[in-house]
Amino acid sequence: MAITLTEKAELRLRSFLLGSAPDSQKPTKGIRVSAKDGGCNGYEYGMEITSSPKPDDIVIEQGQVLIYVDAKSASLLEGMVIDFVEGVMESGFKFTNPNATNTCSCGKSFSAGDCTPKGTPCQ
């Protein structure tokens, strides 16, 4: 399992992680990345800060950030690159996923070939 954080994404995530938990939780503090049914293309990316990995999570250490990937999302996210972009018109995390066959203009929703559930219209 491989998910890559760019240098900017790792730096941004490390600052979120350092400021979000008591010192006792920092050794297991990380981000959980997932692909959930939803969005206008069928799947949408999920990313949250967590200090309690689930039993079936795949754990990846990328630089100084722990990444937890739920086993159901692993095949959809294999090889993905997470970047952080800052600009006048938009700022935030950007996902580049080699498994995505189509993406929404929002960048948070994707389809993956024949296994994609039906999408919901963008609002």
Side-chain angles (χ1 to χ4, degrees), residues 19-43:
S20 65
D23 287 335
S24 63
Q25 293 180 345
K26 287 185 181 170
T28 59
K29 194 97 174 136
I31 60 164
R32 177 171 289 110
V33 180
S34 61
K36 306 175 206 174
D37 289 357
C40 54
N41 271 312
Y43 290 115

Side-chain angles (χ1 to χ4, degrees), residues 84-92:
F84 188 82
V85 294
E86 291 182 276
V88 176
M89 297 298 288
E90 75 174 317
S91 296

Side-chain angles (χ1 to χ4, degrees), residues 8-9 12 16 47 82-95 105-108:
K8 286 182 181 180
R12 183 59 69 147
F16 283 139
M47 189 164 64
I82 302 173
D83 193 9
F84 188 82
V85 294
E86 291 182 276
V88 176
M89 297 298 288
E90 75 174 317
S91 296
F93 290 98
K94 178 182 175 190
F95 304 93
S105 61
C106 67
K108 308 291 184 211

Side-chain angles (χ1 to χ4, degrees), residues 102-113:
N102 195 17
T103 59
C104 186
S105 61
C106 67
K108 308 291 184 211
S109 177
F110 71 101
S111 59

Side-chain angles (χ1 to χ4, degrees), residues 21-89:
D23 287 335
S24 63
Q25 293 180 345
K26 287 185 181 170
T28 59
K29 194 97 174 136
I31 60 164
R32 177 171 289 110
V33 180
S34 61
K36 306 175 206 174
D37 289 357
C40 54
N41 271 312
Y43 290 115
E44 63 185 343
Y45 298 108
M47 189 164 64
E48 63 185 357
I49 294 174
T50 185
S51 57
S52 54
K54 295 180 180 175
D56 65 340
D57 280 349
I58 298 166
V59 181
I60 304 165
E61 189 168 353
Q62 177 73 47
Q64 296 179 34
V65 176
L66 289 175
I67 303 171
Y68 303 111
V69 182
D70 73 276
K72 292 179 185 177
S73 299
S75 63
L76 293 168
L77 303 179
E78 174 65 41
M80 183 171 72
V81 176
I82 302 173
D83 193 9
F84 188 82
V85 294
E86 291 182 276
V88 176
M89 297 298 288

